[in-house]
Amino acid sequence: MATSLLQPSSSSSALAFSSSSSSLFTGTSHAPTLRTLGFVDSSRVRILAPCSVKCDMSDSSNFPNWKPTIPVLNERTLPKFLESARAEKTVSRNSNRLKLFSGTANPVLSQEIARYMGLELGKISIKRFADGEIYVQLQESVRGCNVYLIQPTCPPANENLMELKIMIDACRRASAKNITAVIPYFGYARADRKTQGRESIAAKLVANLITKAGADRVLACDLHSGQSMGYFDIPVDHVHCQPVILDYLASKTISSSDLVVVSPDVGGVARARAFAKKLSDAPLAIVDKRRHGHNVAEVMNLIGDVKGKVAVMVDDMIDTAGTIAKGAALLHEEGAREVYACCTHAVFSPPAIERLSGGLFQEVIITNTIPVTEKNYFPQLTILTVANLLGETIWRIHDDSSVSSIFQ
């Protein structure tokens, strides 16, 4: 049963990756019962979710209580894909004047980031009064420190956004030198333009609120559109989580001639094309859809050939799963052999779970930028962690080193 996700098959028919990204997929696995991901020595991997099990679609008995695969990385070594000549210099690991604090939105991810960096999370008290107001108090000094506040603005979006702003204000009033808002998932990012008259552009409004609260920098993962970076009047470091998902897909012994990358809509073509380029420049297909209302999508037709192929659908997020589920149904109608869904942000608003677990997908691969509650687990779900990626990025920001060189 043991498999290594860090070594792609040596068979000539196995899925091959472009030479520019081959360093992403090297490593070894030593744990006999745990599939490890990404960039760590699995001898030091531990699972924080005690009920999680290895996901093997060939045997349904491997899903006691329908728990998903939840590989968690906690090794402090440098991620493998950063140990290449692309790194401009050795990044300093001097933690003097560096403080990490976690909000209440995703404390597990915050703990994983701190573990990778070899640090302890700062002490902070976050409470809610009876009327719903939020109270934040730092319980250690941050004077003159570079502070990183880890808080995705995931559901409940307004609660978590307000909590982040109050955390920023508390740090500013405590004389922190620099305040970086680490936002693995940036809520309101889809409201990035006016599509009809008299609409708000909420992404710009939220960017202004975070800036006015006192943030000096923002670190975000896979923004819905690149233009959202321009809404901030402060520096934004945009981290792409594709390497984490690509590292996992490296374990799949899929013939490169059988693979096709699918964009679930026209707006995601650039994202899917970049993903396909990493997969030996795999062919691209596009699902053409027409949206008639918010969270309502209708698939019209397919551009490209998927007959007899393994389709990998790539998107930045899955909300109600209407778009990706209807796209998967169309792919099966057009003769696709298997369909995989890959996304960074698992919002999973109802009825997403019913749609994703209905048999359309061989596997649904997500990351932990948003915490997935146990009630939303289903057999096809695989959760990858972005803790090492974010931890390394924080080190580079603190050391004034290049962040973009990670992805070149």
Side-chain angles (χ1 to χ4, degrees):
M1 294 288 291
T3 59
S4 170
L5 302 186
L6 304 180
Q7 292 181 335
S9 171
S10 59
S11 170
S12 60
S13 63
L15 178 62
F17 292 81
S18 62
S19 59
S20 63
S21 59
S22 60
S23 62
L24 295 175
F25 315 111
T26 58
T28 57
S29 176
H30 307 289
T33 60
L34 174 65
R35 299 193 300 177
T36 61
L37 306 180
F39 325 107
V40 302
D41 179 352
S42 62
S43 62
R44 296 182 61 181
V45 171
R46 57 191 282 259
I47 285 200
L48 297 183
C51 296
S52 62
V53 298
K54 176 182 175 180
C55 181
D56 187 347
M57 297 305 298
S58 62
D59 184 359
S60 61
S61 65
N62 288 330
F63 301 114
N65 300 323
W66 304 106
K67 305 299 182 187
T69 304
I70 310 180
V72 176
L73 307 184
N74 59 9
E75 182 58 60
R76 296 178 183 175
T77 58
L78 191 67
K80 295 296 182 183
F81 77 98
L82 296 178
E83 293 177 348
S84 66
R86 292 174 296 181
E88 293 182 356
K89 64 176 182 178
T90 301
V91 179
S92 171
R93 293 298 191 270
N94 183 359
S95 61
N96 290 339
R97 300 293 182 180
L98 189 156
K99 298 281 188 179
L100 293 178
F101 291 95
S102 173
T104 61
N106 198 343
V108 174
L109 175 59
S110 300
Q111 287 284 0
E112 292 176 23
I113 293 172
R115 188 179 298 114
Y116 168 80
M117 298 181 69
L119 303 174
E120 295 290 335
L121 288 174
K123 297 177 181 179
I124 185 171
S125 174
I126 302 176
K127 301 177 182 178
R128 279 165 173 75
F129 293 108
D131 62 355
E133 293 180 4
I134 301 171
Y135 169 83
V136 173
Q137 181 189 29
L138 303 176
Q139 297 186 320
E140 59 184 75
S141 175
V142 296
R143 185 178 296 272
C145 295
N146 295 321
V147 176
Y148 296 83
L149 305 176
I150 306 169
Q151 174 81 340
T153 54
C154 53
N158 297 332
E159 284 272 322
N160 290 328
L161 175 60
M162 192 65 193
E163 182 180 305
L164 172 62
K165 292 186 292 182
I166 296 176
M167 291 169 64
I168 293 171
D169 184 71
C171 292
R172 180 175 62 86
R173 296 179 187 279
S175 300
K177 182 179 180 181
N178 288 296
I179 303 170
T180 299
V182 181
I183 311 176
Y185 170 71
F186 180 59
Y188 288 101
R190 285 174 285 183
D192 56 3
R193 65 191 184 280
K194 293 181 67 172
T195 58
Q196 52 188 344
R198 299 176 298 280
E199 281 188 333
S200 68
I201 303 179
K204 171 60 176 173
L205 172 63
V206 172
N208 287 343
L209 291 172
I210 292 172
T211 303
K212 292 300 183 181
D216 298 295
R217 178 181 295 269
V218 167
L219 169 58
C221 295
D222 281 338
L223 293 169
H224 186 64
S225 59
Q227 68 218 39
S228 297
M229 288 186 287
Y231 294 158
F232 290 90
D233 296 324
I234 54 178
V236 176
D237 289 299
H238 189 200
V239 173
H240 301 281
C241 297
Q242 280 189 357
V244 177
I245 298 175
L246 287 167
D247 200 41
Y248 176 78
L249 289 176
S251 68
K252 306 293 182 181
T253 54
I254 305 171
S255 172
S256 59
S257 61
D258 290 340
L259 183 70
V260 59
V261 175
V262 181
S263 173
D265 54 36
V266 175
V269 171
R271 183 185 306 107
R273 184 185 295 114
F275 197 88
K277 187 176 181 180
K278 297 291 185 180
L279 299 178
S280 296
D281 205 11
L284 184 67
I286 304 168
V287 175
D288 177 34
K289 70 173 185 179
R290 305 294 169 89
R291 188 180 296 276
H292 297 289
H294 296 295
N295 296 327
V296 177
E298 180 180 354
V299 172
M300 302 300 292
N301 51 39
L302 179 69
I303 303 170
D305 180 27
V306 298
K307 187 174 183 179
K309 295 182 179 292
V310 176
V312 179
M313 302 188 74
V314 180
D315 210 348
D316 62 322
M317 71 174 70
I318 297 177
D319 189 357
T320 62
T323 296
I324 204 163
K326 289 185 178 181
L330 178 64
L331 294 175
H332 283 294
E333 291 174 5
E334 296 292 330
R337 190 169 79 243
E338 293 178 349
V339 178
Y340 290 81
C342 301
C343 85
T344 300
H345 310 299
V347 181
F348 285 176
S349 303
I353 303 305
E354 290 78 4
R355 289 169 171 169
L356 295 173
S357 60
L360 290 172
F361 299 98
Q362 178 73 12
E363 193 170 0
V364 178
I365 304 165
I366 65 173
T367 72
N368 63 342
T369 56
I370 298 175
V372 180
T373 59
E374 189 169 344
K375 68 178 182 180
N376 287 336
Y377 290 170
F378 56 95
Q380 297 90 345
L381 183 64
T382 296
I383 304 174
L384 314 182
T385 183
V386 295
N388 287 11
L389 183 62
L390 288 174
E392 183 62 28
T393 303
I394 291 173
W395 273 128
R396 286 171 174 256
I397 294 172
H398 182 66
D399 188 49
D400 294 327
S401 299
S402 172
V403 172
S404 61
S405 62
I406 296 176
F407 308 99
Q408 294 174 355

